[in-house]
Amino acid sequence: MKVYLIRHGETVWNAERRYQGSRDVPLSAEGLARLQPQAWSPRRVYVTRLRRTRQTAERLFPGAELMEVEGLEEMCFGDFEGRNYKEMANDRDYRAWVDGNCEGRCPNGESRAEFTLRTCRAFDRLLREAEARGEPELVIVAHGGTQMSLLDGHGVPAREYYAWLTDNGCGYLLDADHWTVDGSLKVLEELNCTEASC
């Protein structure tokens, strides 16, 4: 099965480099304007409960049925949400988290391992259900962290965790035929949905 894994468009907090995580931040006017309606239209697009993914899907695929999927939301950054790295330069908890390669649990949030487990379980469930229904493809509009968590350790060819992050409105076309066999997601193409055909 082919999987389109697309990051939502830009928000004001993206532009300000603020941690959004579980906060329901909408797309900015600029972010919405950069997204281009696509020349192809899937019947169904899967989004998260956060409106930035729904707004992106509505702009890219105006005729598609939008289905909300639990578990593919961005990592919960807890106390860091709404703040950027400059504002937290002297925050002891933030410095400890960064010094630990951002793998530990954010105060009142998730760890990278917890986040990855959550997203991979949600993706596995979604993929198996789509295959059982005979869907020809899976189109997911989610988050940058979702991309990184799913493709770290599963993307082929392999990359380092942060190297999987794309710009807003960009993503990957993946071959998921071997997911249930060996957990691999082969990258077929990088996508740019600020153009008319991603």
Side-chain angles (χ1 to χ4, degrees):
M1 177 180 285
K2 301 297 183 288
V3 176
Y4 293 80
L5 181 60
I6 302 166
R7 184 183 181 193
H8 64 77
E10 188 179 66
T11 70
V12 170
W13 281 17
N14 284 138
E16 295 175 350
R17 301 186 63 104
R18 296 185 183 280
Y19 288 91
Q20 296 181 111
S22 60
R23 301 282 184 95
D24 196 12
V25 182
L27 296 184
S28 65
E30 296 83 1
L32 190 60
R34 281 191 206 112
L35 298 170
Q36 296 299 310
Q38 296 302 295
W40 60 285
S41 183
R43 187 172 67 84
R44 182 175 289 154
V45 176
Y46 295 91
V47 298
T48 73
R49 64 176 174 79
L50 299 172
R51 68 182 139 167
R52 55 192 183 265
T53 65
R54 180 172 291 275
Q55 290 174 311
T56 300
E58 288 171 344
R59 174 74 173 162
L60 297 179
F61 309 110
E65 175 188 13
L66 303 186
M67 304 290 293
E68 194 173 289
V69 180
E70 186 178 344
L72 291 179
E73 294 84 9
E74 180 61 274
M75 180 172 168
C76 178
F77 295 104
D79 295 348
F80 304 150
E81 292 185 357
R83 303 160 73 194
N84 66 32
Y85 67 97
K86 290 180 182 177
E87 295 168 350
M88 295 187 285
N90 297 315
D91 183 306
R92 187 176 61 221
D93 290 335
Y94 180 70
R95 292 300 334 148
W97 182 66
V98 170
D99 291 344
N101 198 31
C102 305
E103 292 183 13
R105 182 179 289 112
C106 301
N108 297 307
E110 292 178 290
S111 69
R112 186 192 299 176
E114 291 167 333
F115 170 55
T116 297
L117 180 61
R118 168 170 61 80
T119 54
C120 286
R121 282 180 174 169
F123 176 78
D124 182 71
R125 184 172 56 250
L126 178 60
L127 181 66
R128 289 174 189 270
E129 289 172 355
E131 285 179 335
R133 287 192 298 270
E135 293 187 30
E137 63 193 11
L138 198 53
V139 181
I140 302 169
V141 177
H143 307 269
T146 311
Q147 291 175 336
M148 294 187 294
S149 66
L150 289 176
L151 294 171
D152 181 50
H154 299 285
V156 176
R159 297 183 192 174
E160 186 269 332
Y161 183 83
Y162 293 103
W164 289 110
L165 180 64
T166 66
D167 291 336
N168 292 101
C170 297
Y172 300 97
L173 172 59
L174 306 166
D175 179 344
D177 286 349
H178 296 281
W179 173 263
T180 56
V181 177
D182 61 12
S184 66
L185 295 167
K186 182 179 180 182
V187 176
L188 300 177
E189 186 180 342
E190 295 200 19
L191 307 172
N192 182 352
C193 297
T194 62
E195 300 172 354
S197 184
C198 74

